[in-house]
Amino acid sequence: MSAAFQGSLAWILPSFLFGSFDYEAVDFWRASATSFTMVIVIVALKLALHDFKRCSLSCLLPIIGSIASYIIVLFLLGYVPLGQRMQPNLAGDPPVPGWIFSNASPILVIALASPLALLPDMMALLWVRKLHPSPLFQIRSKNL
């Protein structure tokens, strides 16, 4: 249920704010790339949220590495000639990846809506870990 909410929010918000329904228009691809970036950020935050040791290197390094890998591939698709041949719709002035990270509106959408999308998970974790913990979780939390 929360995944449907998170995916819907990630798609609808950028599409409504600065997207287009024309598949060939650069605005469609800007909104689409922003939506996919939101999904990557939401998944990374969700992984950190559900981890028992959120501040450990074994949690943070894979998450940071996956986001960094995604950003590298996104910029390669938008700026390198091979990437532009593979995905010509990401070209533009500036290319879609550069537009996402140089304008305030997509950055604000990603930064504000991604944590908002995690509210169902936060409420579920509050219930499971604090308000109604299972006996197994109680033992696990004592050992951390």
Side-chain angles (χ1 to χ4, degrees):
M1 187 71 173
S2 68
F5 169 71
Q6 292 158 351
S8 298
L9 184 69
W11 179 254
I12 291 170
L13 206 57
S15 295
F16 177 73
L17 292 175
F18 43 81
S20 167
F21 293 107
D22 179 16
Y23 179 75
E24 297 297 324
V26 73
D27 289 339
F28 174 85
W29 291 99
R30 288 174 175 168
S32 178
T34 303
S35 295
F36 192 66
T37 303
M38 276 183 65
V39 168
I40 298 291
V41 170
I42 288 168
V43 169
L45 291 174
K46 194 170 187 170
L47 286 171
L49 183 68
H50 287 276
D51 200 324
F52 281 102
K53 296 181 180 180
R54 293 182 190 104
C55 295
S56 69
L57 288 178
S58 63
C59 175
L60 295 177
L61 286 179
I63 291 171
I64 292 168
S66 67
I67 292 173
S69 299
Y70 166 71
I71 291 172
I72 290 169
V73 169
L74 184 65
F75 273 87
L76 286 174
L77 286 172
Y79 284 94
V80 175
L82 176 64
Q84 290 175 348
R85 270 198 317 268
M86 290 171 49
Q87 187 55 272
N89 293 327
L90 290 180
D93 190 28
V96 170
W99 181 85
I100 290 173
F101 292 102
S102 65
N103 287 322
S105 55
I107 292 172
L108 282 173
V109 168
I110 293 167
L112 297 177
S114 298
L116 175 70
L118 291 175
L119 282 178
D121 290 284
M122 289 179 202
M123 290 187 296
L125 277 178
L126 177 67
W127 175 259
V128 169
R129 291 188 180 179
K130 301 293 181 193
L131 301 177
H132 195 274
S134 68
L136 180 62
F137 183 78
Q138 291 173 353
I139 293 170
R140 168 88 176 160
S141 62
K142 287 179 185 176
N143 292 330
L144 291 178

